[in-house]
Amino acid sequence: MIDVDGVTRRFGDFTAVDGVSLHIPRGEIVGLLGHNGAGKTTLMKMITGFLEPTAGSIRVDGHEVTAEPRAVQALIGYLPENCPLYPDMTVMEYLEFQAGLHGLAGAERDAALARAVRLTELAPKALQPIQTLSRGYRQRVGVAQAILHRPRILILDEPTNGLDPTQILHMRGLIRDLAEESTVIVSTHILQEVQAVCERVVILRAGRKVVDARLDELQRDGRLRVTLDRAEAEARPVLEALAPVRRVEAAERRFIYVLDADPGQAPEVGRAVQGAGFALYGLCPEQRSLEAVFAEAETAGEVRDVA
Ligand code: ATP
């Protein structure tokens, strides 16, 4: 659906996006993560055709973005960071105006407006001028304009920025609903956001892609947590015979050993510790937090790639 190949974008001498390749199939929800200035917005602007790459190519549903920006923009709904809205217009006037820009008219336009207002739960504010809306409602108006034409690709830049906890939950639900018929890219530096809605994580650092992996695989990451009744002096030699012990945590008469072992080795580990006469209280893959993944990506040099 989206094929980014070796894309670089320079501003003068400064390289904001540096040789990024990214392949996103239909229907996936991808979280684009990175610190301020990592290049997320620049990459999204290139995918949406608002900015041309200095090098490399981007194809969306088979269309080359620089050659056919209109065709690509018809497929994409875009919520920019700080979505520009016309404050004097009411919500409906603004959405009608946007529907016109998408070439929607007549019954088709009315159906599109009704759907967008329903999905974003904007009906109670529909006749209110935009300047009188709270930040959360303005954000919903931004989403409503992005989904009016039922885009096959939805690109949301910081969709929950400035929202209160209730609005954040609503926005997450909305993103999941929209993903049923669209491919979604969510750019954010809020890790919980990615954890809550995304299947895949791409992390940019200083314009380069440093992580590209499924969230569940990234968090599993080849470690086993074994909870035993034995302290390190006794347990370590038995465990080390199977796999390196990365970490030991003591927990009220129990000891947790984190092994550098594939989850497939779990039965072997179970047999070995029981064979040694230890009580086995737990044996499961370790879940790494996204915070840990992100922190490692900020220091590690290599690219982890799903491809
Ligand atoms: P944030 O999370 O703060 O929105 P980001 O990851 O979206 O950051 P970008 O907005 O893509 O980052 O910016 C990447 C880098 O490129 C930044 O250092 C920024 O200052 C620079 N940059 C972006 N647009 C321009 C421009 N038009 N001219 C010069 N430099 C730019």
Side-chain angles (χ1 to χ4, degrees), residues 21-231:
S21 295
L22 190 58
H23 302 282
I24 304 177
R26 196 178 298 273
E28 205 164 49
I29 313 183
V30 178
L32 190 56
L33 276 172
H35 280 308
N36 293 123
K40 306 179 294 293
T41 301
T42 306
L43 180 60
M44 283 187 298
K45 282 187 180 166
M46 288 192 284
I47 295 172
T48 52
F50 286 103
L51 207 57
E52 284 198 14
T54 313
S57 75
I58 303 176
R59 298 179 80 80
V60 173
D61 209 18
H63 302 279
E64 173 72 47
V65 177
T66 33
E68 302 174 78
R70 292 250 171 265
V72 168
Q73 280 160 8
L75 295 170
I76 291 181
Y78 183 34
L79 171 70
E81 199 177 8
N82 304 316
C83 183
L85 302 168
Y86 295 104
D88 294 334
M89 286 185 175
T90 66
V91 170
M92 280 321 280
E93 284 167 349
Y94 174 74
L95 293 178
E96 282 166 8
F97 167 69
Q98 289 291 333
L101 294 183
H102 285 301
L104 296 166
E108 193 188 12
R109 182 192 78 152
D110 294 346
L113 289 168
R115 173 180 172 273
V117 168
R118 176 173 49 78
L119 284 173
T120 52
E121 296 179 10
L122 271 169
K125 308 287 179 187
L127 302 178
Q128 226 169 284
I130 288 172
Q131 64 192 349
T132 66
L133 298 182
S134 68
R135 170 153 185 95
Y137 275 101
R138 285 184 203 203
Q139 194 76 333
R140 289 190 204 188
V141 177
V143 175
Q145 65 77 29
I147 63 175
L148 267 176
H149 55 305
R150 299 189 87 132
R152 278 194 265 159
I153 298 165
L154 203 52
I155 299 189
L156 308 171
D157 199 349
E158 303 286 353
T160 57
N161 196 6
L163 302 190
D164 69 33
T166 314
Q167 291 168 334
I168 287 175
L169 287 182
H170 175 267
M171 183 65 77
R172 286 178 185 168
L174 178 58
I175 292 170
R176 279 190 288 262
D177 288 347
L178 294 170
E180 287 186 11
E181 60 178 49
S182 307
T183 300
V184 182
I185 303 179
V186 181
S187 162
T188 182
H189 32 235
I190 305 170
L191 302 181
Q192 293 89 329
E193 215 50 65
V194 172
Q195 198 118 38
V197 297
C198 299
E199 297 158 334
R200 178 171 160 196
V201 186
V202 172
I203 302 182
L204 295 184
R205 173 165 48 103
R208 301 184 71 98
K209 187 176 83 168
V210 288
V211 170
D212 185 352
R214 288 189 57 83
L215 188 59
D216 49 1
E217 284 167 14
L218 203 57
Q219 292 186 293
R220 225 181 286 133
D221 202 50
R223 287 184 204 155
L224 273 179
R225 272 175 92 79
V226 189
T227 309
L228 302 173
D229 64 341
R230 300 303 159 105

Side-chain angles (χ1 to χ4, degrees), residues 258-298:
V258 178
L259 308 186
D260 271 333
D262 188 81
Q265 283 177 261
E268 184 194 347
V269 172
R271 277 194 300 274
V273 297
Q274 285 178 314
F278 305 163
L280 176 63
Y281 293 116
L283 181 55
C284 59
E286 175 163 71
Q287 288 283 315
R288 284 197 308 161
S289 72
L290 200 50
E291 280 82 0
V293 172
F294 191 73
E296 276 175 34
E298 281 307 304

